[in-house]
Amino acid sequence: MSDEKKNVMKEIKVDKMVLNCCVGESGDRLTRAARVLEQLTGQQPVYSKARYTLRSFGIRRNEKIAVHVTVRGEKAMEILERGLKVKEYELLQQNFSDTGNFGFGINEHIDLGIKYDPTTGIYGMDFFVCLTRAGAVLPDRRKVRRGRIGSPHKITKEDAIKWFQDRFEGVVLAKAV
């Protein structure tokens, strides 16, 4: 037995990963982007609507302009691995939030290993990863006297960067090169 025991409750894991593909217009391009996300994840994507009208972009309020899907578990880790491989395991410091989450974007979905289809086209997408520790869901489940997560149990920006570097042997750059 080792001298130093590891606390299982302190281990960081991926809670969920959200893939977002914003096309900026409704219609055929948006349905093709939804097909790309469904092909990548095997799940039915959800459409997002515009919050307000922007005449310069040519979008109206409540018009469907983006599509996103939430992935959890092993499938999330597998897709995250493929996405980080495209970025060559390099992220910027500003990609990490203060609450321990991080996100990045890719320009072409075909880099993820999906075969190019001329009828579909090429779409970029955003990856957003939410990290958590075991027991983080318990304060939400209680009916009476809802609890809060204590500060030692919360994930900080430094914790997320360290997890990324240990797990994927990634590099975190201070500024874009």
Side-chain angles (χ1 to χ4, degrees), residues 110-145:
I110 55 173
D111 294 336
L112 296 171
I114 297 176
K115 193 158 174 22
Y116 173 68
D117 184 15
T119 58
T120 305
I122 294 177
Y123 293 96
M125 60 186 66
D126 300 318
F127 288 69
F128 194 76
V129 182
C130 297
L131 300 176
T132 187
R133 287 194 166 114
V137 77
L138 290 178
D140 297 337
R141 283 206 180 147
R142 291 175 60 177
K143 302 251 188 301
V144 182
R145 272 190 68 215

Side-chain angles (χ1 to χ4, degrees), residues 19 34-45 69-71 75 78-79 82 114:
L19 292 169
R35 202 174 328 127
V36 166
L37 281 181
E38 190 172 354
Q39 195 177 1
L40 180 65
T41 61
Q43 294 177 212
Q44 187 70 36
V69 65
T70 302
V71 188
K75 192 183 285 185
E78 178 220 321
I79 296 170
R82 284 162 52 185
I114 297 176

